[in-house]
């Protein structure tokens, strides 16, 4: 039982780190889109490559169009990341604690 609890704890911690990193990548993408950065910059290309597949899927599923020139899909993804951190990661930590 302790091994499974430790596995759940490790999964929760890795997932928390990945979501935390993706949160900051998403923030970077939003800032880059606001300042109209040079797309030839490797950092800008990375930010777009890391976020565009998710944002494109959200735009397609929710039929979100730009409102007043602003793309709302990063906000939806940001809320989803926050939900996953607050609900899924916390639930995994609680379950691991209950099993130990």
């Amino acid at each position: 039982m302790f091994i499974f609890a430790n596995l759940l704890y490790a999964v929760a911690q890795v997932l928390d780190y990945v979501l935390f990193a993706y949160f900051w990548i998403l923030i970077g993408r939003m800032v880059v889109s606001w300042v109209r950065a040079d797309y030839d910059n490797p950092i800008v290309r990375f930010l777009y490559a890391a976020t565009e597949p998710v944002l494109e899927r959200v735009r397609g599923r929710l039929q979100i169009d730009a409102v007043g020139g602003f793309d709302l899909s990063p906000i939806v993804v940001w809320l989803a990341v926050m939900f996953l951190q607050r609900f899924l990661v916390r639930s995994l930590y609680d379950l691991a604690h209950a099993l130990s």
Side-chain angles (χ1 to χ4, degrees):
M1 217 42 152
F2 290 112
I3 293 172
F4 187 65
N6 288 338
L7 175 68
L8 281 178
Y9 184 80
V11 168
Q13 194 165 24
V14 168
L15 184 60
D16 195 24
Y17 289 151
V18 167
L19 289 170
F20 181 76
Y22 196 76
F23 169 81
W24 285 106
I25 290 169
L26 190 62
I27 295 293
R29 160 68 188 261
M30 289 189 288
V31 169
V32 162
S33 70
W34 293 337
V35 296
R36 308 269 187 214
D38 179 22
Y39 294 112
D40 292 330
N41 185 321
I43 294 172
V44 174
R45 283 196 312 251
F46 166 75
L47 292 173
Y48 271 82
T51 57
E52 191 57 32
V54 175
L55 296 177
E56 184 178 339
R57 187 173 289 176
V58 168
R59 280 187 219 109
R61 286 196 181 245
L62 299 178
Q63 303 293 324
I64 296 177
D65 292 327
V67 175
F70 292 109
D71 182 13
L72 298 177
S73 59
I75 294 171
V76 172
V77 173
W78 175 74
L79 289 172
V81 167
M82 297 304 290
F83 174 78
L84 289 172
Q85 281 186 309
R86 300 295 189 267
F87 176 73
L88 182 61
V89 172
R90 174 75 72 184
S91 296
L92 288 173
Y93 278 131
D94 290 343
L95 183 58
H97 182 68
L99 290 174
S100 60

